[in-house]
C-alpha cells in the first residue's frame, strides 16, 4: 500500500495539531501578542526562509521535470517573500543580521540534511512545511491589524491551492517509492511537525 499526505495527516492528528495550533497564533488573533514575541518570530522566520529557499533550490534539482512548474512558482513567490520580510523588518527597525536561535538553527540544519534524502522525502517535507503555515495562519480566523496581512499572506486561497499542488507532487513521488523511502517520508513529516511546534514556542518565549 502506498503512503499519501492525507494518510500522514490522519495518522498523526495530535502532532499536526500541535504544529498548527499554538498560543502564539491564538494571541495574534486576540491582539494580545507582545511586540517582543512578534518581532522575534519575524526576524527568526526571515532567517528560516533564507535557508528554506536554498532547500527548495535543491529540491528543484532532484525533481522530475513535470514538477518544475509548481516548484518554480514557489521560488518566484520566495523572491517576493524575502523582500517582503526585509520591508517589514525595516519598518520595525529590526536587524536581520542576527544570530539564529537554537530552534531556528535546528530547523535549518534539518532542511540542509534533506539534501541527502530521496526526492519523495524532500517533496513530503516541502509540502508539510508550507501546509503548516497555510493552516496555522488560517485556523484562527480573521486576524486584527497589524496581523491581518500575515494571516492573509499564507491563508489565502491561492496559497492553499499551491499547497494542494505540492501535496499532489509529494503523493506522486510516494506512489512509486519503496517501503523504506515511505517510512523516511513519515519520519520527515513528524520531524517537521515537531520543529514547527518548537518554532512557535521559541518566539512565544521571548515575552
Ligand atoms: C517556521 C516556518 N515554517 C513554515 C513556513 C512556511 N513558509 C516557508 S517559505 C514560505 C513562503 C512561500 O513559499 C512559507 C509560507 C515559514 N515561513 N516558517
Amino acid at each position: 500500500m502506498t503512503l499519501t499526505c492525507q494518510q500522514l495527516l490522519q495518522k498523526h492528528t495530535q502532532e499536526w495539531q500541535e504544529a498548527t495550533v499554538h498560543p502564539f497564533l491564538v494571541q495574534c488573533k486576540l491582539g494580545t501578542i507582545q511586540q517582543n514575541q512578534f518581532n522575534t518570530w519575524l526576524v527568526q522566520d526571515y532567517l528560516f526562509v533564507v535557508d528554506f529557499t536554498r532547500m527548495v533550490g535543491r529540491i528543484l534539482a532532484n525533481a522530475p521535470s513535470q514538477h518544475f512548474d509548481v516548484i518554480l512558482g514557489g521560488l518566484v513567490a520566495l523572491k517576493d517573500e524575502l523582500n517582503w520580510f526585509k520591508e517589514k523588518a525595516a519598518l520595525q527597525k529590526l536587524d536581520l543580521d542576527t544570530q539564529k536561535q537554537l530552534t531556528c538553527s535546528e530547523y535549518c540544519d534539518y532542511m540542509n540534511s534533506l539534501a541527502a534524502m530521496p526526492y519523495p522525502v524532500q517533496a513530503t517535507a516541502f509540502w508539510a512545511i508550507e501546509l503548516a503555515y497555510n493552516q496555522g495562519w488560517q485556523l484562527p480566523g480573521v486576524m486584527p491589524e497589524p496581523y491581518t496581512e500575515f494571516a492573509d499572506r499564507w491563508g489565502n486561497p491561492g496559497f492553499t491551492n499551491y499547497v494542494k499542488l505540492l501535496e499532489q507532487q509529494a503523493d506522486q513521488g510516494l506512489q512509486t517509492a519503496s517501503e523504506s523511502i515511505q517510512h523516511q517520508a513519515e519520519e520527515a513529516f513528524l520531524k517537521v511537525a515537531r520543529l514547527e511546534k518548537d518554532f512557535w514556542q521559541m518566539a512565544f518565549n521571548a515575552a
Side-chain angles (χ1 to χ4, degrees):
M1 204 183 74
T2 60
L3 182 69
T4 66
C5 292
Q6 284 305 315
Q7 283 171 8
L8 288 172
L9 289 169
Q10 282 159 18
K11 189 167 165 194
H12 303 291
T13 43
Q14 164 94 20
E15 287 87 345
W16 195 249
Q17 160 106 355
E18 287 172 3
T20 53
V21 180
H22 191 277
F24 183 96
L25 289 162
V26 174
Q27 295 206 11
C28 287
K29 162 79 180 165
L30 295 172
T32 54
I33 196 83
Q34 292 177 25
Q35 192 119 78
N36 234 359
Q37 294 171 302
F38 197 78
N39 287 346
T40 297
W41 167 77
L42 188 70
V43 171
Q44 294 294 317
D45 210 51
Y46 168 77
L47 299 172
F48 169 87
V49 174
V50 169
D51 274 19
F52 177 85
T53 303
R54 298 188 204 283
M55 178 196 77
V56 178
R58 288 188 299 262
I59 294 178
L60 178 75
N62 285 324
S65 60
Q66 306 92 283
H67 290 190
F68 277 14
D69 207 52
V70 173
I71 301 170
L72 286 168
L75 283 166
V76 172
L78 281 162
K79 170 182 151 73
D80 182 55
E81 186 100 349
L82 287 164
N83 289 324
W84 179 82
F85 266 105
K86 285 189 217 165
E87 270 171 42
K88 293 283 141 203
L91 282 171
Q92 299 293 324
K93 304 209 181 333
L94 300 173
D95 185 8
L96 290 177
D97 190 10
T98 304
Q99 277 217 337
K100 284 181 187 129
Q101 289 196 26
L102 207 64
T103 297
C104 182
S105 241
E106 192 194 345
Y107 206 158
C108 291
D109 288 349
Y110 177 64
M111 290 194 291
N112 291 338
S113 77
L114 280 166
M117 303 203 191
Y119 176 71
V121 180
Q122 296 178 332
T124 303
F126 186 8
W127 158 74
I129 295 171
E130 296 287 42
L131 183 70
Y133 263 41
N134 180 233
Q135 295 189 339
W137 285 96
Q138 206 168 30
L139 288 171
V142 180
M143 289 206 185
E145 293 297 346
Y147 311 113
T148 323
E149 182 185 352
F150 292 81
D152 284 354
R153 191 167 185 91
W154 303 305
N156 79 73
F159 192 73
T160 303
N161 192 54
Y162 163 69
V163 177
K164 284 222 186 312
L165 296 174
L166 290 177
E167 177 181 336
Q168 284 169 17
Q169 297 197 159
D171 280 348
Q172 213 177 76
L174 289 168
Q175 220 165 42
T176 52
S178 66
E179 292 251 348
S180 153
I181 291 174
Q182 291 183 40
H183 180 72
Q184 289 174 60
E186 184 165 2
E187 292 302 315
F189 175 80
L190 288 170
K191 183 91 175 181
V192 166
R194 203 265 294 161
L195 288 165
E196 286 292 329
K197 175 178 77 136
D198 289 355
F199 204 93
W200 292 126
Q201 193 57 42
M202 169 195 72
F204 200 69
N205 286 345

